Amino acid sequence: MNEIREDIKAYLDQELPEEQVRAVEEALAADPALGRELHDFRLISRSLEASAKPIPVAGWQPLPSRPRFAWWVWAAPACVFALAVVILGPRVGGFTASDQAVPTAAVGSSPAVESAAAPEMGGQSARAAVEGFSAPLGRDSRSRDKSSLAAEAMNKRPSPGSGSAPFAPEHIFREIIKSGNIEVRVKEVADAATAITTMADGMSGFVESSNATGGQNPSASITLRVPAPRFEEAMKSIRALGVVLNESSSGSDVTAAVVDLEARIRTLRSEEETLRQILRQTRRIGEVLEVRDRLTQVRSEIESMSGQAKALKDQAAYSTITASLSQGPNPEAKDNDQPWAEDALNSALSSLSGFGRMLGTIGIYFLVFSPLWLPVLLIALWLNKRNKS
Amino acid sequence: MDDQIQQAQRGSREALNRLIADHYAAVYRFCARRLGEELAKDAAQDVFLTMQKNLKTYQGASAFSTWLFGIAHNRTRELIRSRKREPLPLSDWLADGSGPAEDGLIAKESLRRALAELSEDHRQVVLMHEIEGFKYSEIAGILSIPEGTVKSRLHHAFLSLRRSLCEGQS
């Protein structure tokens, strides 16, 4: 009987096989208690169903439907245009594909951009490509800007053969450790902390440490590392989060220290090589042991100095910013609105102007190359229409 | 296997669009009942992204909707865990008010109290079957448990509900 009882709910839900249905129905006819149980189960089931909360559906947008024209209608003239630009480009005003490639590598100076830029240069370093590009143009101011920016993107590692450079690379590019402290009063500490973390990620930087305290006056202290060329941009973003109560920044030039370390490493390496040659020629055990001791000492010094040089370079590559956030009433907020709005306006106008110039350049190119791509587009449209009909 | 699913597996955007359109409302409600309406939109989007990513691995061993709700179940469970949210909050399942939904039925307040006394496993199958309307086999597929377990949990849950409601009346 217990087995039958366990089937009552499944019977109610019509989830039982035919033979079990018959057995349950017989049991129900024989036992009024089972019938009452079935009745109660049905009542509970109907009550639950009727009490369900209605959920209005929100948020779905259909994916874009198929374009009106087949893909090749646009692809064919686009290919012709691209081919024409590549083949004829150098003859039209000296505007070349490599001219486009350099700013792309130069815009971001983070290591991520650096690694992405390198394959585009066809196996050469970005620096070498910049040198090759700028030389025929007579190193005007524009190309020099690109060279220096691209070199920054290469993490201050210019190629040894960069023609006009009279000194070793470390003499040209200064290694400066930048650090900044900024204390900001914000509306919501948690939101501002999230914004700083997101900003650091977006700049290919990272949060080195953070700590936060809650309570009535929440506060947080965040130490972040951002790529050195983006130090000012990061400080500006943090300033925009609220009212700056205190700010300081400092820079320490460690170029001399790095150059000195590298010179000493070179000397020690040379000594190491000499010691190894002596070791190969020496047969006396006393001398072998003495040379080995000195070799170990030299090796250890090289490792230590290489580590120091690397640490200095790393510190110079990534600036440190310590942001202290506090929360509270903000009487000065109104005063700060104006510079913020002005900055935003200037930045937007500058972007708009750049965008306009870019559109203008593209438009001129399209127009100049129209005798090549326009007939192809017209033929493709005609073919598309014929296919449809 | 459904023709529409096969077309979507071959990369047809229209078929994928139709597939999402057919299941979006059910998946959205599934997520809304477990996570609340404010998170449901993003969760449903995640579910369909996962579906699109893994569509080629779907072999048709279970119904497509069961496979899809299995993805939704895993995603909502992850979000409940990560947000330390209460599992299956009854406020998202039962309509507001305390009286019965219709004459002759049990009052919502009593149902709410009786459901709250059930274990989470029992409450889950009751809500999935009675409110979301899933069949035993679908619940088994979504929760990855045997169908017999679904049947047994429902039976014991209903016995418990009946007992609680009778005690409440007395």
Side-chain angles (χ1 to χ4, degrees), chain B residues 152-168:
Chain B
S152 161
R153 280 185 191 174
L154 266 174
H155 168 72
H156 287 105
F158 262 70
L159 283 179
S160 173
L161 284 174
R162 187 182 183 225
R163 199 166 41 247
S164 300
L165 290 166
C166 287
E167 279 168 10

Side-chain angles (χ1 to χ4, degrees), chain A residues 53-76:
Chain A
K53 183 180 180 178
I55 308 266
V57 178
W60 182 67
Q61 292 292 323
L63 295 171
S65 57
R66 187 180 280 280
R68 199 173 146 206
F69 299 110
W71 62 271
W72 49 266
V73 173
W74 305 111

